[in-house]
């Protein structure tokens, strides 16, 4: 399973600074004003060979009537429920506050590892002051300075030691893993049941019936793969304003485990911002993608070009990467669901495709000779050699004399030529320029 670590704490203790340092990017906005982080932000982190997702949450304020603090409180609770490990962040300069005590009381009820991380410990005097936080009663208490990075490596070492092993659900690692993802109530569990021809998952009209990711093994009619049915929204009070967070968080888990993401969208609603967010997650993680427009049987006024026009609108929203298969299906009527699986398996083959270096150079060097890279600051760029990198997704290194001067538009040109000659339909390509 893809693992999740949530950073929680009261406002202005340095959660976003630690989050940015862990993911290696300035993704979360940082300010001294309480409440800057309102939405949850998540990003990938890799340490000691382990990969996991980190969630930055807003500052927790209990029993507040403020509308934003109330919403933050709801979503901090969600992050705690969903996380495998909780990082409880406090501030040495203020000592233990009432809010820290309240959050500690809540976290003691959790049956999962909790790390108390005392922030802003950047001198010997504060090191002594930080010992006060052992009184919160947690076994794991670590002193750091997130702004300078002091102690963060030790923290990550400790986290990765207790992080559960991932991908334990799969016995056969070489079998394709297809994740069914999408917004609540678009038919994810129904599609799984239709493919397996059994009521493997509970299906209702209530958004959130599926609580956990369900892994199903399929081996029929000469096809073998795992289906990962994305967990939906847990049935709990006042969850409606948090649907997007739950859906995207669970989609992250499923996408990280999968080779291909089958993104279901509602034919009546069309592709929405949350669908684009899930699509972006799959792209950033170099997964294959198939877009499935479900409930096509409910569209009454279909004309000759209705599907074509909708497919065009969908691909316009997916731009610039729109080399993605789009299929119109009906899970209820079992229309084209077999074709959807065939397409997903084709995308899997494209993602795992290996191209011989001799063939790659023979074809692409001719294209480069016909359309050479534009010069930059008087430097003439010469690409001399191309090779595919030994990764789980299509990635290629172009060796040249001035790799830092190759323009982004020429990189897109090379990607288009790669797609034209080698068919990477449904799969993102990574191109790197290296010095030769």
């Amino acid at each position: 399973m893809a693992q999740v670590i949530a950073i929680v704490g009261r406002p202005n203790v340095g959660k976003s600074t630690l989050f940015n340092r862990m993911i290696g990017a300035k993704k979360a906005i940082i300010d001294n004003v309480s409440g800057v982080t309102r939405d949850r932000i998540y990003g990938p982190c890799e340490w000691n060979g382990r990969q996991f997702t980190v969630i930055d949450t807003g500052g927790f304020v209990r029993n507040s009537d403020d509308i934003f603090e109330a919403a933050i409180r709801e979503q901090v609770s969600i992050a705690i429920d969903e996380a495998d490990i909780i990082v409880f962040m406090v501030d040495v300069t203020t000592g233990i506050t009432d809010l820290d005590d309240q959050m500690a009381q809540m976290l003691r009820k959790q049956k999962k590892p909790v790390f108390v991380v005392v922030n802003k410990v950047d001198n010997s005097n504060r090191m002594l002051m930080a010992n006060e936080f052992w009184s919160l009663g947690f076994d794991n208490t670590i002193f750091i300075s997130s702004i300078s990075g002091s102690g963060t490596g030790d923290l990550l070492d400790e986290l990765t030691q207790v992080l559960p092993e991932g991908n334990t659900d799969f016995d056969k690692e070489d079998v394709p893993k297809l994740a069914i993802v999408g917004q609540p109530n678009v038919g994810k569990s129904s599609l799984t049941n239709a493919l397996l021809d059994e009521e493997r998952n509970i299906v209702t009209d209530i958004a959130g019936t599926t609580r956990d990711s369900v892994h199903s093994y399929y081996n029929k009619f000469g096809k073998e793969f795992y289906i990962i049915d994305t967990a939906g929204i847990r049935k709990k009070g006042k969850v409606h304003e948090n649907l997007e967070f739950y859906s995207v968080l669970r989609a992250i888990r499923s996408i990280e485990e999968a080779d291909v993401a089958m993104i279901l969208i509602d034919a009546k609603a069309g592709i929405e911002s949350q669908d684009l967010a899930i699509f972006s997650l799959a792209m950033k993680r170099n997964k294959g993608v198939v877009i499935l427009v479900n409930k096509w049987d409910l569209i009454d006024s279909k004309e000759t070009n209705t599907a074509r026009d909708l497919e065009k609108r969908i691909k316009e929203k997916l731009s610039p990467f729109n080399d993605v298969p789009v299929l119109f299906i009906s899970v209820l009527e079992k229309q084209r669901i077999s074709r959807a699986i065939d397409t997903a398996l084709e995308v899997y083959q494209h993602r795992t495709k290996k191209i011989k270096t001799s063939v790659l150079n023979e074809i692409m060097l001719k294209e480069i000779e016909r359309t050479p890279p534009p010069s930059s600051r008087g430097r003439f760029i010469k690409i001399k050699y191309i090779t595919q990198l030994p990764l789980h997704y299509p990635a290629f290194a172009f060796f040249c004399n001035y790799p830092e001067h190759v323009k982004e538009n020429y990189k897109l040109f090379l990607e288009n030529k790669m797609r034209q000659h080698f068919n990477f339909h449904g799969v993102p390509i990574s191109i790197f320029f290296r010095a030769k």
Side-chain angles (χ1 to χ4, degrees):
M1 292 286 288
Q3 308 303 333
V4 174
I5 295 175
I7 305 173
V8 301
R10 61 181 174 82
N12 203 27
V13 292
K15 298 185 296 296
S16 295
T17 306
L18 176 61
F19 171 81
N20 287 343
R21 185 167 290 280
M22 289 176 74
I23 69 169
K26 292 184 178 180
K27 188 173 181 180
I29 300 171
I30 300 170
D31 201 295
N32 289 327
V33 179
S34 171
V36 168
T37 303
R38 288 178 178 171
D39 295 323
R40 293 77 37 223
I41 305 172
Y42 30 80
C45 179
E46 182 173 355
W47 190 263
N48 289 343
R50 301 295 303 277
Q51 294 181 336
F52 48 92
T53 295
V54 185
I55 309 174
D56 179 25
T57 63
F60 183 88
V61 180
R62 197 167 188 174
N63 301 325
S64 171
D65 294 329
D66 180 89
I67 185 171
F68 290 115
E69 290 178 346
I72 289 170
R73 190 166 59 248
E74 284 278 336
Q75 294 171 6
V76 169
S77 297
I78 291 173
I80 290 171
D81 289 343
E82 291 298 300
D84 298 287
I85 299 177
I86 301 163
V87 171
F88 173 27
M89 204 157 186
V90 291
D91 185 347
V92 69
T93 63
T94 60
I96 299 175
T97 67
D98 291 341
L99 285 174
D100 293 328
D101 274 330
Q102 290 170 3
M103 174 151 275
Q105 186 178 357
M106 181 174 67
L107 293 178
R108 288 190 197 101
K109 300 175 183 177
Q110 299 296 319
K111 295 180 180 179
K112 57 186 66 176
V114 177
F115 283 76
V116 177
V117 176
V118 188
N119 192 25
K120 306 179 185 178
V121 182
D122 49 15
N123 57 49
S124 56
N125 186 42
R126 290 183 175 181
M127 183 73 72
L128 292 172
M129 295 166 57
N131 286 295
E132 171 192 5
F133 289 91
W134 285 102
S135 66
L136 291 173
F138 294 95
D139 294 334
N140 303 307
T141 300
I142 297 176
F143 306 156
I144 72 165
S145 172
S146 60
I147 197 165
S148 68
S150 173
T152 54
D154 295 334
L155 171 62
L156 285 164
D157 286 341
E158 295 288 338
L159 292 173
T160 51
Q161 282 182 16
V162 302
L163 196 67
E165 289 293 333
N167 297 325
T168 56
D169 296 275
F170 302 110
D171 296 322
K172 303 179 180 181
E173 290 299 319
D174 57 340
V175 174
K177 305 171 188 66
L178 313 180
I180 303 175
V181 296
Q183 295 195 55
N185 205 26
V186 293
K188 300 184 295 295
S189 295
S190 297
L191 177 57
T192 302
N193 291 341
L195 290 169
L196 297 174
D197 198 25
E198 62 182 65
E199 293 299 315
R200 173 67 183 266
N201 300 329
I202 300 170
V203 179
T204 73
D205 291 331
I206 302 170
T209 301
T210 306
R211 174 165 177 168
D212 295 308
S213 293
V214 179
H215 305 76
S216 306
Y217 177 65
Y218 182 100
N219 189 3
K220 298 177 183 177
F221 310 113
K223 298 171 186 171
E224 184 182 21
F225 53 88
Y226 285 100
I227 303 173
I228 307 171
D229 177 20
T230 309
I233 313 306
R234 189 173 305 172
K235 291 187 283 187
K236 59 188 295 186
K238 298 182 180 178
V239 77
H240 303 87
E241 63 269 28
N242 298 312
L243 289 180
E244 181 174 355
F245 174 45
Y246 253 123
S247 184
V248 174
L249 179 57
R250 291 302 184 91
I252 289 175
R253 284 179 175 267
S254 295
I255 288 170
E256 286 181 343
E257 296 172 56
D259 300 301
V260 178
M262 302 168 66
I263 303 177
L264 260 69
I265 66 175
D266 192 308
K268 286 191 172 182
I271 191 164
E272 299 179 326
S273 58
Q274 186 175 327
D275 301 314
L276 295 174
I278 295 172
F279 175 78
S280 178
L281 288 171
M283 291 297 98
K284 290 176 182 177
R285 285 158 175 77
N286 300 290
K287 306 296 184 178
V289 172
V290 177
I291 304 293
L292 302 179
V293 184
N294 190 26
K295 307 180 184 180
W296 190 239
D297 55 305
L298 301 181
I299 304 299
D300 298 324
S301 56
K302 290 195 283 282
E303 298 178 1
T304 305
N305 298 324
T306 303
R308 187 195 66 182
D309 294 342
L310 180 54
E311 180 178 351
K312 182 180 178 182
R313 289 198 298 272
I314 290 171
K315 290 191 173 184
E316 284 174 353
K317 290 191 176 183
L318 299 179
S319 183
F321 177 57
N322 54 17
D323 185 19
V324 177
V326 178
L327 280 74
F328 297 86
I329 69 170
S330 169
V331 174
L332 184 65
E333 302 292 334
K334 295 189 176 181
Q335 292 177 355
R336 290 179 286 276
I337 60 172
S338 294
R339 184 180 167 192
I341 292 298
D342 290 339
T343 303
L345 293 175
E346 286 175 9
V347 170
Y348 171 79
Q349 295 299 325
H350 297 164
R351 186 173 183 265
T352 56
K353 181 185 300 182
K354 303 298 179 186
I355 303 171
K356 289 184 179 180
T357 302
S358 57
V359 175
L360 192 60
N361 282 270
E362 180 184 356
I363 293 175
M364 289 306 296
L365 288 179
K366 287 180 181 177
E367 293 289 354
I368 292 167
E369 186 178 355
R370 277 194 287 267
T371 310
S375 60
S376 175
R377 299 180 181 178
R379 296 178 176 87
F380 292 93
I381 300 167
K382 178 68 173 176
I383 297 176
K384 303 175 182 178
Y385 183 74
I386 310 153
T387 187
Q388 184 170 1
L389 299 175
L391 299 175
H392 296 298
Y393 58 89
F396 301 90
F398 286 69
F399 292 90
C400 58
N401 49 353
Y402 298 110
E404 68 278 9
H405 292 285
V406 180
K407 304 293 185 184
E408 184 66 25
N409 58 355
Y410 193 75
K411 181 180 178 180
L412 292 174
F413 164 78
L414 293 176
E415 180 179 336
N416 289 334
K417 289 299 179 183
M418 293 283 292
R419 293 186 179 282
Q420 178 183 324
H421 289 288
F422 301 111
N423 187 12
F424 288 106
H425 191 43
V427 183
I429 298 175
S430 295
I431 291 178
F432 305 94
F433 297 96
R434 299 286 184 261
K436 177 67 175 177

